[in-house]
Coordinates of all heavy atoms in Angstrom, one line a residue:
M1125 N 80.2 86.3 -30.5 CA 80.7 86.1 -29.2 C 79.8 86.8 -28.2 O 78.7 86.3 -28.0 CB 82.2 86.5 -29.1 CG 82.9 85.8 -30.2 SD 84.6 85.5 -29.9 CE 85.3 87.1 -30.0
T1126 N 80.1 87.9 -27.6 CA 79.1 88.4 -26.7 C 78.4 89.6 -27.3 O 77.6 90.2 -26.6 CB 79.9 89.0 -25.4 OG1 80.8 90.0 -25.9 CG2 80.6 87.8 -24.7
G1127 N 78.6 90.0 -28.5 CA 77.9 91.1 -29.1 C 78.6 92.4 -28.7 O 78.2 93.5 -29.2
E1128 N 79.7 92.4 -28.0 CA 80.4 93.6 -27.7 C 81.3 94.0 -28.8 O 81.8 93.1 -29.6 CB 81.3 93.3 -26.4 CG 80.5 93.0 -25.2 CD 81.4 92.6 -24.0 OE1 82.6 92.6 -24.1 OE2 80.8 92.1 -23.0
P1129 N 81.7 95.2 -29.0 CA 82.6 95.6 -30.0 C 83.9 95.0 -29.8 O 84.4 94.8 -28.7 CB 82.7 97.2 -29.9 CG 81.8 97.6 -28.8 CD 81.2 96.3 -28.1
R1130 N 84.5 94.6 -31.0 CA 85.8 93.9 -30.9 C 86.9 94.8 -31.6 O 86.5 95.6 -32.5 CB 85.8 92.6 -31.5 CG 85.0 91.6 -30.7 CD 85.0 90.3 -31.4 NE 84.2 90.3 -32.6 CZ 83.1 89.6 -32.8 NH1 82.7 88.8 -31.9 NH2 82.4 89.7 -33.9
D1131 N 88.1 94.6 -31.2 CA 89.2 95.4 -31.9 C 89.4 94.8 -33.3 O 90.0 93.7 -33.4 CB 90.4 95.2 -31.0 CG 91.6 96.0 -31.6 OD1 91.4 96.7 -32.6 OD2 92.7 96.0 -30.9
R1132 N 89.0 95.5 -34.3 CA 89.1 95.0 -35.7 C 90.5 95.2 -36.2 O 90.8 94.7 -37.3 CB 88.1 95.7 -36.6 CG 86.7 95.5 -36.2 CD 86.2 94.1 -36.5 NE 84.8 93.9 -36.2 CZ 84.2 92.8 -36.2 NH1 84.8 91.7 -36.5 NH2 82.9 92.7 -35.9
T1133 N 91.4 95.8 -35.5 CA 92.8 96.0 -36.0 C 93.6 94.7 -35.7 O 94.7 94.6 -36.3 CB 93.4 97.2 -35.3 OG1 93.5 96.9 -33.9 CG2 92.6 98.4 -35.5
V1134 N 93.1 93.8 -34.9 CA 93.9 92.6 -34.7 C 93.8 91.6 -35.9 O 92.7 91.3 -36.3 CB 93.4 91.9 -33.4 CG1 94.1 90.6 -33.2 CG2 93.5 92.8 -32.2
A1135 N 94.9 91.2 -36.4 CA 94.9 90.3 -37.5 C 95.4 88.9 -37.0 O 96.4 88.9 -36.2 CB 95.8 90.8 -38.6
G1136 N 94.8 87.9 -37.4 CA 95.3 86.6 -37.0 C 94.1 85.7 -36.8 O 92.9 86.1 -36.9
R1137 N 94.4 84.4 -36.5 CA 93.4 83.4 -36.2 C 92.7 83.6 -34.9 O 93.4 83.7 -33.9 CB 94.0 82.0 -36.3 CG 93.0 80.9 -36.0 CD 93.7 79.6 -36.0 NE 92.7 78.6 -35.7 CZ 93.0 77.3 -35.8 NH1 94.2 76.9 -36.2 NH2 92.1 76.4 -35.4
L1138 N 91.4 83.6 -34.9 CA 90.7 83.6 -33.6 C 90.8 82.2 -33.0 O 90.4 81.2 -33.7 CB 89.2 84.0 -33.9 CG 88.3 83.9 -32.7 CD1 88.7 84.9 -31.6 CD2 86.8 84.1 -33.1
L1139 N 91.3 82.1 -31.8 CA 91.5 80.8 -31.1 C 90.2 80.4 -30.4 O 89.4 81.2 -30.1 CB 92.6 80.9 -30.2 CG 94.0 81.2 -30.8 CD1 95.1 81.5 -29.8 CD2 94.4 80.0 -31.7
P1140 N 90.0 79.1 -30.2 CA 88.8 78.6 -29.6 C 88.7 78.8 -28.1 O 88.0 78.1 -27.4 CB 88.8 77.1 -30.0 CG 90.2 76.8 -30.1 CD 90.9 78.0 -30.6
W1141 N 89.5 79.7 -27.5 CA 89.4 79.9 -26.1 C 89.6 81.4 -25.9 O 90.0 82.2 -26.8 CB 90.5 79.2 -25.3 CG 91.9 79.4 -25.8 CD1 92.7 80.5 -25.6 CD2 92.7 78.5 -26.7 NE1 93.9 80.3 -26.2 CE2 93.9 79.1 -26.9 CE3 92.4 77.3 -27.3 CZ2 94.9 78.6 -27.7 CZ3 93.4 76.8 -28.1 CH2 94.6 77.4 -28.3
T1142 N 89.3 81.9 -24.7 CA 89.5 83.3 -24.3 C 90.6 83.4 -23.3 O 91.0 82.5 -22.7 CB 88.2 83.9 -23.8 OG1 87.8 83.2 -22.6 CG2 87.1 83.8 -24.8
G1143 N 91.0 84.7 -23.1 CA 92.0 85.0 -22.0 C 91.3 85.0 -20.7 O 90.1 84.8 -20.6
D1144 N 92.1 85.1 -19.6 CA 91.5 85.1 -18.3 C 90.5 86.2 -18.1 O 89.6 86.1 -17.3 CB 92.6 85.3 -17.3 CG 93.6 84.1 -17.2 OD1 93.2 83.0 -17.5 OD2 94.7 84.3 -16.8
D1145 N 90.6 87.3 -18.9 CA 89.6 88.4 -18.7 C 88.4 88.2 -19.6 O 87.5 89.1 -19.7 CB 90.3 89.7 -19.1 CG 90.9 89.7 -20.5 OD1 90.8 88.7 -21.2 OD2 91.5 90.7 -20.8
G1146 N 88.3 87.1 -20.4 CA 87.2 86.8 -21.2 C 87.3 87.4 -22.6 O 86.4 87.2 -23.4
R1147 N 88.4 88.0 -22.9 CA 88.6 88.6 -24.2 C 89.1 87.6 -25.2 O 89.8 86.6 -24.8 CB 89.6 89.8 -24.1 CG 89.0 91.0 -23.3 CD 90.0 92.1 -23.2 NE 90.3 92.6 -24.5 CZ 91.3 93.5 -24.7 NH1 92.0 93.9 -23.7 NH2 91.5 93.9 -25.9
P1148 N 88.8 87.7 -26.5 CA 89.2 86.7 -27.5 C 90.8 86.7 -27.6 O 91.5 87.7 -27.3 CB 88.7 87.2 -28.8 CG 88.0 88.6 -28.5 CD 88.1 88.8 -27.1
C1149 N 91.3 85.5 -27.9 CA 92.7 85.3 -28.2 C 92.9 85.1 -29.6 O 92.1 84.4 -30.3 CB 93.2 84.1 -27.4 SG 93.2 84.3 -25.6
Y1150 N 94.0 85.6 -30.1 CA 94.3 85.5 -31.6 C 95.7 84.9 -31.7 O 96.6 85.1 -30.9 CB 94.3 86.8 -32.3 CG 92.9 87.4 -32.3 CD1 92.4 88.2 -31.3 CD2 92.1 87.2 -33.4 CE1 91.1 88.7 -31.3 CE2 90.8 87.7 -33.5 CZ 90.3 88.5 -32.4 OH 89.0 89.0 -32.5
L1151 N 95.9 84.2 -32.8 CA 97.2 83.6 -33.1 C 97.7 84.3 -34.4 O 97.0 84.2 -35.4 CB 97.1 82.1 -33.3 CG 98.4 81.4 -33.8 CD1 99.5 81.5 -32.7 CD2 98.1 80.0 -34.1
V1152 N 98.9 84.9 -34.4 CA 99.4 85.4 -35.6 C 100.5 84.5 -36.1 O 101.4 84.1 -35.3 CB 100.0 86.8 -35.4 CG1 100.7 87.4 -36.6 CG2 98.9 87.8 -34.9
G1153 N 100.4 84.0 -37.3 CA 101.4 83.1 -37.9 C 100.9 82.5 -39.1 O 99.8 82.9 -39.7
D1154 N 101.6 81.5 -39.6 CA 101.2 80.8 -40.9 C 100.3 79.7 -40.7 O 99.9 79.0 -41.7 CB 102.5 80.4 -41.6 CG 103.3 79.4 -40.9 OD1 102.9 78.9 -39.8 OD2 104.4 79.0 -41.4
G1155 N 99.9 79.3 -39.5 CA 98.9 78.3 -39.2 C 99.5 76.9 -39.2 O 98.7 75.9 -39.3
T1156 N 100.8 76.8 -39.1 CA 101.4 75.4 -39.2 C 102.0 75.0 -37.9 O 102.6 73.9 -37.8 CB 102.4 75.4 -40.3 OG1 103.5 76.3 -40.0 CG2 101.8 75.6 -41.7
G1157 N 102.0 75.9 -36.9 CA 102.7 75.6 -35.6 C 101.9 74.8 -34.6 O 100.7 74.4 -34.9
H1158 N 102.5 74.5 -33.5 CA 101.9 73.7 -32.4 C 100.6 74.3 -31.9 O 99.6 73.6 -31.7 CB 102.9 73.6 -31.2 CG 102.3 72.9 -30.0 ND1 102.0 71.6 -30.0 CD2 101.9 73.4 -28.9 CE1 101.5 71.3 -28.8 NE2 101.4 72.4 -28.1
V1159 N 100.5 75.6 -31.7 CA 99.3 76.3 -31.1 C 98.2 76.2 -32.2 O 97.0 75.9 -31.8 CB 99.6 77.7 -30.7 CG1 98.3 78.4 -30.3 CG2 100.6 77.8 -29.6
S1160 N 98.5 76.3 -33.4 CA 97.5 76.2 -34.4 C 96.9 74.8 -34.5 O 95.7 74.6 -34.6 CB 98.1 76.6 -35.8 OG 97.0 76.6 -36.8
R1161 N 97.8 73.8 -34.4 CA 97.3 72.4 -34.4 C 96.5 72.1 -33.1 O 95.5 71.4 -33.2 CB 98.5 71.4 -34.5 CG 99.1 71.4 -35.9 CD 100.1 70.2 -36.0 NE 101.2 70.3 -35.0 CZ 102.3 71.0 -35.2 NH1 102.5 71.8 -36.3 NH2 103.3 71.0 -34.3
L1162 N 96.9 72.6 -32.0 CA 96.2 72.5 -30.7 C 94.8 73.1 -30.9 O 93.8 72.5 -30.5 CB 96.9 73.1 -29.6 CG 96.2 73.1 -28.2 CD1 96.0 71.6 -27.7 CD2 97.0 73.9 -27.2
A1163 N 94.7 74.3 -31.5 CA 93.4 75.0 -31.7 C 92.5 74.1 -32.6 O 91.3 74.0 -32.3 CB 93.7 76.3 -32.3
D1164 N 93.1 73.5 -33.6 CA 92.3 72.6 -34.5 C 91.7 71.5 -33.7 O 90.5 71.1 -33.9 CB 93.2 72.1 -35.6 CG 93.6 73.1 -36.7 OD1 92.9 74.2 -36.8 OD2 94.6 72.8 -37.4
E1165 N 92.5 70.9 -32.9 CA 92.1 69.7 -32.1 C 90.9 70.2 -31.1 O 89.9 69.5 -30.9 CB 93.2 69.1 -31.3 CG 94.2 68.4 -32.1 CD 95.5 68.0 -31.4 OE1 95.4 67.9 -30.1 OE2 96.5 67.7 -32.0
I1166 N 91.1 71.3 -30.5 CA 90.1 71.8 -29.5 C 88.8 72.1 -30.3 O 87.7 71.8 -29.8 CB 90.6 73.0 -28.7 CG1 91.7 72.5 -27.8 CG2 89.5 73.7 -28.0 CD1 92.4 73.6 -27.0
E1167 N 88.9 72.7 -31.4 CA 87.7 73.0 -32.2 C 87.0 71.7 -32.6 O 85.7 71.7 -32.5 CB 88.1 73.8 -33.5 CG 88.5 75.2 -33.3 CD 88.9 75.9 -34.6 OE1 89.0 75.3 -35.6 OE2 89.0 77.1 -34.5
D1168 N 87.7 70.7 -32.9 CA 87.1 69.4 -33.3 C 86.4 68.8 -32.0 O 85.3 68.3 -32.2 CB 88.1 68.4 -33.8 CG 88.6 68.8 -35.2 OD1 87.9 69.6 -35.9 OD2 89.7 68.2 -35.6
V1169 N 87.0 68.9 -30.9 CA 86.4 68.4 -29.6 C 85.1 69.2 -29.3 O 84.1 68.7 -29.0 CB 87.4 68.5 -28.5 CG1 86.7 68.3 -27.1 CG2 88.5 67.5 -28.6
Q1170 N 85.2 70.6 -29.5 CA 84.0 71.4 -29.2 C 82.8 71.1 -30.2 O 81.7 71.0 -29.7 CB 84.4 72.9 -29.4 CG 85.3 73.4 -28.3 CD 85.8 74.8 -28.5 OE1 86.0 75.2 -29.6 NE2 86.0 75.5 -27.4
I1171 N 83.1 70.8 -31.4 CA 82.1 70.5 -32.4 C 81.5 69.1 -32.0 O 80.3 68.9 -32.0 CB 82.6 70.5 -33.8 CG1 82.9 72.0 -34.2 CG2 81.6 69.9 -34.8 CD1 83.6 72.1 -35.5
D1172 N 82.3 68.1 -31.7 CA 81.9 66.8 -31.3 C 81.0 66.9 -30.0 O 80.0 66.2 -29.9 CB 83.0 65.9 -31.1 CG 82.6 64.5 -30.8 OD1 81.9 63.9 -31.6 OD2 83.0 63.9 -29.7
M1173 N 81.4 67.7 -29.0 CA 80.7 67.8 -27.8 C 79.3 68.5 -28.1 O 78.3 68.1 -27.5 CB 81.4 68.7 -26.8 CG 82.6 67.9 -26.2 SD 83.6 68.9 -25.1 CE 82.5 69.4 -23.8
A1174 N 79.2 69.4 -29.0 CA 78.0 70.1 -29.4 C 77.0 69.0 -30.0 O 75.8 69.0 -29.7 CB 78.2 71.2 -30.3
D1175 N 77.6 68.2 -30.9 CA 76.8 67.1 -31.5 C 76.2 66.2 -30.5 O 75.0 65.8 -30.5 CB 77.6 66.4 -32.5 CG 76.8 65.4 -33.3 OD1 75.8 65.8 -33.9 OD2 77.3 64.2 -33.4
R1176 N 77.0 65.8 -29.5 CA 76.6 64.8 -28.5 C 75.5 65.5 -27.6 O 74.5 64.9 -27.2 CB 77.7 64.4 -27.6 CG 78.7 63.4 -28.4 CD 79.9 63.1 -27.6 NE 80.8 62.3 -28.3 CZ 81.6 61.4 -27.8 NH1 81.6 61.1 -26.6 NH2 82.5 60.8 -28.6
L1177 N 75.7 66.8 -27.3 CA 74.8 67.5 -26.4 C 73.5 67.6 -27.1 O 72.4 67.5 -26.5 CB 75.4 68.9 -26.1 CG 74.5 69.7 -25.1 CD1 74.3 69.0 -23.8 CD2 75.2 71.1 -24.9
L1178 N 73.4 67.9 -28.4 CA 72.2 67.9 -29.1 C 71.4 66.6 -29.1 O 70.2 66.6 -28.9 CB 72.4 68.3 -30.6 CG 72.7 69.8 -30.9 CD1 73.1 70.0 -32.3 CD2 71.5 70.6 -30.5
G1179 N 72.2 65.5 -29.2 CA 71.5 64.2 -29.0 C 70.9 64.0 -27.7 O 69.8 63.5 -27.5
H1180 N 71.7 64.4 -26.6 CA 71.2 64.3 -25.3 C 70.0 65.2 -25.1 O 69.0 64.8 -24.4 CB 72.3 64.7 -24.3 CG 71.9 64.7 -22.9 ND1 71.6 63.6 -22.2 CD2 71.7 65.8 -22.0 CE1 71.2 63.9 -20.9 NE2 71.3 65.2 -20.8
A1181 N 70.0 66.4 -25.6 CA 68.9 67.3 -25.5 C 67.6 66.7 -26.1 O 66.5 66.8 -25.5 CB 69.2 68.6 -26.1
A1182 N 67.8 66.1 -27.3 CA 66.6 65.5 -28.0 C 66.0 64.4 -27.1 O 64.8 64.3 -27.0 CB 67.0 64.9 -29.3
E1183 N 66.9 63.5 -26.5 CA 66.4 62.5 -25.6 C 65.7 63.0 -24.4 O 64.6 62.6 -24.0 CB 67.6 61.6 -25.2 CG 68.2 60.8 -26.3 CD 69.4 60.0 -25.9 OE1 69.8 60.0 -24.7 OE2 70.1 59.4 -26.8
L1184 N 66.3 64.0 -23.8 CA 65.8 64.6 -22.5 C 64.4 65.3 -22.8 O 63.5 65.1 -22.1 CB 66.7 65.6 -21.9 CG 66.4 66.2 -20.6 CD1 66.4 65.1 -19.5 CD2 67.3 67.3 -20.2
L1185 N 64.3 66.0 -23.9 CA 63.1 66.7 -24.3 C 62.0 65.8 -24.7 O 60.8 66.1 -24.6 CB 63.4 67.8 -25.3 CG 64.3 68.9 -24.9 CD1 64.6 69.8 -26.1 CD2 63.6 69.7 -23.8
A1186 N 62.3 64.6 -25.1 CA 61.3 63.6 -25.4 C 60.7 63.0 -24.2 O 59.6 62.4 -24.3 CB 61.9 62.5 -26.3
E1187 N 61.3 63.1 -23.1 CA 60.7 62.6 -21.8 C 59.6 63.4 -21.3 O 59.6 64.6 -21.5 CB 61.8 62.5 -20.7 CG 62.9 61.5 -21.1 CD 64.0 61.4 -20.0 OE1 63.7 61.9 -18.8 OE2 65.0 60.9 -20.3
R1188 N 58.7 62.8 -20.6 CA 57.5 63.6 -20.1 C 57.8 64.2 -18.7 O 57.2 65.1 -18.3 CB 56.3 62.7 -20.1 CG 55.8 62.3 -21.4 CD 54.9 63.4 -21.9 NE 54.3 62.9 -23.2 CZ 54.0 63.7 -24.1 NH1 54.3 65.0 -24.1 NH2 53.4 63.3 -25.2
R1189 N 58.7 63.6 -18.0 CA 58.9 64.0 -16.6 C 60.3 64.7 -16.4 O 61.2 64.2 -15.7 CB 58.8 62.8 -15.7 CG 57.4 62.3 -15.6 CD 57.3 61.1 -14.7 NE 57.8 59.9 -15.5 CZ 58.0 58.7 -15.0 NH1 57.8 58.5 -13.8 NH2 58.4 57.7 -15.8
V1190 N 60.5 65.8 -17.1 CA 61.7 66.6 -17.0 C 61.5 67.7 -16.0 O 60.5 68.4 -16.1 CB 62.2 67.1 -18.3 CG1 63.5 67.9 -18.2 CG2 62.4 65.9 -19.3
T1191 N 62.4 67.9 -15.1 CA 62.2 69.0 -14.1 C 62.7 70.3 -14.7 O 63.5 70.4 -15.6 CB 62.9 68.7 -12.8 OG1 64.4 68.8 -13.1 CG2 62.6 67.4 -12.2
G1192 N 62.2 71.4 -14.1 CA 62.7 72.7 -14.4 C 64.2 72.8 -14.2 O 64.9 73.5 -15.0
E1193 N 64.7 72.2 -13.2 CA 66.2 72.3 -12.9 C 67.0 71.6 -14.1 O 68.0 72.1 -14.5 CB 66.5 71.6 -11.6 CG 66.1 72.5 -10.4 CD 66.3 71.7 -9.1 OE1 66.6 70.5 -9.1 OE2 66.1 72.4 -8.0
E1194 N 66.4 70.4 -14.5 CA 67.1 69.7 -15.6 C 67.1 70.5 -16.9 O 68.1 70.6 -17.6 CB 66.4 68.4 -15.8 CG 66.6 67.4 -14.7 CD 65.8 66.1 -14.9 OE1 64.6 66.2 -15.2 OE2 66.4 65.0 -14.6
L1195 N 65.9 71.2 -17.2 CA 65.8 72.0 -18.4 C 66.8 73.2 -18.3 O 67.4 73.6 -19.3 CB 64.4 72.5 -18.6 CG 63.4 71.4 -19.1 CD1 62.0 71.9 -19.1 CD2 63.9 70.8 -20.4
H1196 N 66.9 73.8 -17.1 CA 67.8 74.9 -16.9 C 69.2 74.5 -17.1 O 70.0 75.2 -17.8 CB 67.6 75.5 -15.5 CG 68.4 76.7 -15.2 ND1 69.6 76.7 -14.5 CD2 68.2 78.0 -15.6 CE1 70.1 77.9 -14.5 NE2 69.3 78.7 -15.1
Y1197 N 69.6 73.4 -16.6 CA 71.0 72.9 -16.7 C 71.2 72.6 -18.2 O 72.3 73.0 -18.7 CB 71.2 71.6 -15.9 CG 72.6 71.0 -16.0 CD1 73.6 71.6 -15.2 CD2 72.9 70.0 -16.9 CE1 74.9 71.1 -15.3 CE2 74.1 69.5 -16.9 CZ 75.1 70.0 -16.2 OH 76.4 69.5 -16.2
L1198 N 70.3 72.0 -18.9 CA 70.4 71.7 -20.3 C 70.6 73.0 -21.1 O 71.4 73.2 -22.0 CB 69.2 71.0 -20.8 CG 69.1 70.7 -22.4 CD1 70.3 69.8 -22.8 CD2 67.8 70.1 -22.7
A1199 N 69.8 74.0 -20.8 CA 69.9 75.3 -21.5 C 71.2 76.0 -21.3 O 71.8 76.6 -22.2 CB 68.7 76.3 -21.0
Q1200 N 71.8 75.9 -20.1 CA 73.1 76.4 -19.8 C 74.1 75.7 -20.6 O 75.0 76.4 -21.2 CB 73.4 76.3 -18.3 CG 72.7 77.2 -17.4 CD 73.1 77.0 -16.0 OE1 73.2 75.9 -15.5 NE2 73.3 78.1 -15.3
R1201 N 74.1 74.4 -20.7 CA 75.1 73.7 -21.5 C 74.9 73.9 -23.0 O 75.9 74.1 -23.7 CB 75.0 72.1 -21.2 CG 75.2 71.7 -19.8 CD 76.5 71.9 -19.2 NE 76.8 73.3 -18.8 CZ 76.5 73.9 -17.6 NH1 75.8 73.2 -16.7 NH2 76.8 75.1 -17.3
L1202 N 73.7 74.0 -23.5 CA 73.5 74.3 -24.9 C 74.0 75.7 -25.2 O 74.6 75.9 -26.3 CB 72.0 74.2 -25.2 CG 71.4 72.8 -25.3 CD1 69.9 72.8 -25.4 CD2 72.0 72.1 -26.5
S1203 N 73.8 76.7 -24.3 CA 74.3 78.0 -24.5 C 75.8 78.1 -24.6 O 76.4 78.7 -25.5 CB 73.8 78.9 -23.4 OG 74.3 80.2 -23.6
E1204 N 76.5 77.4 -23.7 CA 77.9 77.3 -23.7 C 78.4 76.7 -25.0 O 79.4 77.1 -25.6 CB 78.4 76.5 -22.5 CG 78.2 77.1 -21.2 CD 78.5 76.2 -20.0 OE1 78.8 75.0 -20.2 OE2 78.4 76.6 -18.9
S1205 N 77.8 75.6 -25.4 CA 78.2 74.9 -26.6 C 78.0 75.7 -27.8 O 78.8 75.8 -28.7 CB 77.4 73.6 -26.7 OG 77.8 72.8 -27.8
L1206 N 76.8 76.4 -27.9 CA 76.6 77.3 -29.0 C 77.6 78.4 -29.1 O 78.1 78.7 -30.2 CB 75.1 77.9 -28.9 CG 74.7 78.8 -30.1 CD1 74.8 78.0 -31.4 CD2 73.3 79.3 -29.8
R1207 N 78.0 78.9 -28.0 CA 79.0 80.0 -27.9 C 80.3 79.4 -28.5 O 81.0 80.1 -29.3 CB 79.2 80.5 -26.5 CG 80.1 81.7 -26.4 CD 80.2 82.2 -25.0 NE 78.9 82.4 -24.4 CZ 78.4 81.7 -23.3 NH1 79.1 80.7 -22.8 NH2 77.2 81.9 -22.8
D1208 N 80.7 78.2 -28.1 CA 81.9 77.6 -28.6 C 81.9 77.4 -30.1 O 82.8 77.7 -30.8 CB 82.2 76.3 -27.9 CG 82.6 76.4 -26.5 OD1 83.0 77.5 -26.0 OD2 82.5 75.4 -25.8
V1209 N 80.8 76.8 -30.6 CA 80.6 76.5 -32.0 C 80.6 77.8 -32.8 O 81.1 77.9 -34.0 CB 79.4 75.6 -32.3 CG1 79.1 75.4 -33.7 CG2 79.6 74.2 -31.6
M1210 N 79.9 78.8 -32.3 CA 79.9 80.1 -33.0 C 81.4 80.7 -33.2 O 81.7 81.2 -34.2 CB 79.0 81.1 -32.3 CG 77.6 80.8 -32.4 SD 76.9 80.9 -34.1 CE 77.2 82.6 -34.5
R1211 N 82.2 80.5 -32.1 CA 83.5 81.0 -32.2 C 84.3 80.2 -33.3 O 85.1 80.7 -34.0 CB 84.2 80.9 -30.9 CG 85.7 81.4 -30.8 CD 86.4 81.2 -29.5 NE 85.6 81.5 -28.4 CZ 85.5 82.7 -27.8 NH1 86.2 83.7 -28.3 NH2 84.8 82.9 -26.7
V1212 N 84.1 78.9 -33.3 CA 84.7 78.0 -34.3 C 84.3 78.5 -35.7 O 85.1 78.6 -36.6 CB 84.4 76.5 -34.1 CG1 84.9 75.7 -35.3 CG2 85.0 76.0 -32.8
A1213 N 83.0 78.7 -35.9 CA 82.5 79.2 -37.2 C 83.1 80.5 -37.6 O 83.5 80.7 -38.8 CB 81.0 79.2 -37.2
E1214 N 83.2 81.4 -36.7 CA 83.8 82.7 -37.0 C 85.2 82.6 -37.4 O 85.7 83.2 -38.3 CB 83.6 83.7 -35.8 CG 84.2 85.0 -36.0 CD 84.1 86.0 -34.8 OE1 83.4 85.6 -33.8 OE2 84.6 87.1 -34.9
S1215 N 86.0 81.8 -36.6 CA 87.4 81.6 -36.9 C 87.6 80.9 -38.2 O 88.4 81.4 -39.0 CB 88.0 80.7 -35.8 OG 89.4 80.5 -36.1
R1216 N 86.9 79.9 -38.5 CA 87.0 79.2 -39.8 C 86.6 80.0 -40.9 O 87.1 80.0 -42.0 CB 86.3 77.8 -39.7 CG 87.0 76.9 -38.7 CD 86.5 75.5 -38.7 NE 87.2 74.6 -37.8 CZ 86.9 73.3 -37.7 NH1 86.0 72.8 -38.4 NH2 87.6 72.6 -36.8
G1217 N 85.5 80.7 -40.7 CA 85.0 81.6 -41.8 C 86.0 82.7 -42.2 O 86.1 83.0 -43.4
K1218 N 86.7 83.2 -41.3 CA 87.7 84.2 -41.6 C 88.9 83.6 -42.3 O 89.6 84.4 -43.0 CB 88.2 84.9 -40.3 CG 87.1 85.9 -39.7 CD 87.6 86.5 -38.5 CE 86.6 87.5 -37.9 NZ 87.0 88.2 -36.7
R1219 N 89.1 82.3 -42.2 CA 90.3 81.7 -42.8 C 89.9 81.2 -44.2 O 90.8 80.7 -44.9 CB 90.8 80.6 -41.9 CG 91.5 81.2 -40.7 CD 92.1 80.1 -39.8 NE 91.0 79.5 -39.0 CZ 90.9 78.3 -38.6 NH1 91.7 77.4 -39.1 NH2 89.9 77.9 -37.9
L1220 N 88.7 81.2 -44.6 CA 88.3 80.8 -45.9 C 88.9 81.7 -47.0 O 88.8 82.9 -46.8 CB 86.8 80.7 -46.1 CG 86.1 79.6 -45.3 CD1 84.6 79.7 -45.5 CD2 86.6 78.2 -45.7
T1221 N 89.4 81.2 -48.0 CA 89.9 82.1 -49.1 C 88.8 82.4 -50.0 O 88.0 81.6 -50.4 CB 91.1 81.4 -49.9 OG1 90.6 80.2 -50.4 CG2 92.3 81.1 -49.0
P1222 N 88.7 83.7 -50.3 CA 87.6 84.1 -51.2 C 87.7 83.5 -52.6 O 88.9 83.3 -53.1 CB 87.7 85.6 -51.3 CG 89.0 86.0 -50.7 CD 89.5 84.8 -49.9
S1223 N 86.6 83.2 -53.2 CA 86.7 82.6 -54.6 C 87.2 83.7 -55.6 O 86.8 84.8 -55.5 CB 85.3 82.1 -55.0 OG 84.7 81.3 -54.1
P1224 N 88.0 83.3 -56.5 CA 88.5 84.2 -57.5 C 87.3 84.7 -58.4 O 86.5 83.8 -58.8 CB 89.5 83.5 -58.3 CG 89.4 82.1 -57.9 CD 88.6 82.0 -56.7
R1225 N 87.2 85.9 -58.6 CA 86.1 86.5 -59.5 C 86.5 86.3 -60.9 O 87.7 86.6 -61.3 CB 85.9 87.9 -59.1 CG 85.3 88.0 -57.8 CD 84.8 89.4 -57.5 NE 84.2 89.5 -56.2 CZ 83.6 90.5 -55.7 NH1 83.6 91.6 -56.4 NH2 83.1 90.5 -54.6
P1226 N 85.6 85.9 -61.8 CA 85.9 85.8 -63.2 C 86.1 87.1 -63.9 O 85.8 88.1 -63.5 CB 84.7 85.1 -63.8 CG 83.6 85.2 -62.7 CD 84.2 85.6 -61.5

């Protein structure tokens, strides 16, 4: 996320959005409720948007006449998208069940 220390005492699913203050939001529960399904849908949208943005970036960077303003805008959107996808990866990684050891 931002590289700032986080409260490691919070247990629950990291949600794909933050609170008004920019702090992470967590869901405590069994993962079968409405908010959990909504979070799944938002994560899917964020991943799809990142994929589309990468395609757009490839097209834009292939052009010879791209302005600095266009590149700056692209970098901002890529940064936002990467932040979202990193949050999804962190959330999903924490929910993976460890493999049983032999």
Side-chain angles (χ1 to χ4, degrees):
M1125 304 208 293
T1126 61
E1128 298 172 5
R1130 291 183 287 246
D1131 183 358
R1132 299 287 182 188
T1133 63
V1134 176
R1137 176 183 179 173
L1138 176 64
L1139 294 171
W1141 55 80
T1142 60
D1144 292 336
D1145 58 0
R1147 294 178 61 191
C1149 293
Y1150 293 88
L1151 174 66
V1152 178
D1154 62 3
T1156 61
H1158 173 72
V1159 175
S1160 185
R1161 287 190 302 275
L1162 177 63
D1164 289 342
E1165 291 173 17
I1166 290 174
E1167 287 179 351
D1168 289 342
V1169 167
Q1170 289 173 327
I1171 291 170
D1172 183 58
M1173 288 175 61
D1175 185 49
R1176 291 176 187 211
L1177 182 58
L1178 283 172
H1180 176 68
E1183 291 172 8
L1184 186 67
L1185 294 172
E1187 294 181 17
R1188 292 277 189 213
R1189 294 179 278 173
V1190 179
T1191 68
E1193 290 175 351
E1194 290 172 317
L1195 289 174
H1196 185 259
Y1197 183 80
L1198 176 62
Q1200 286 179 317
R1201 301 295 77 83
L1202 287 169
S1203 178
E1204 292 168 358
S1205 184
L1206 181 58
R1207 189 177 308 112
D1208 289 343
V1209 171
M1210 289 296 297
R1211 183 185 315 273
V1212 171
E1214 181 179 354
S1215 176
R1216 290 184 180 184
K1218 287 182 179 179
R1219 288 181 278 142
L1220 292 175
T1221 56
S1223 306
R1225 294 188 175 185

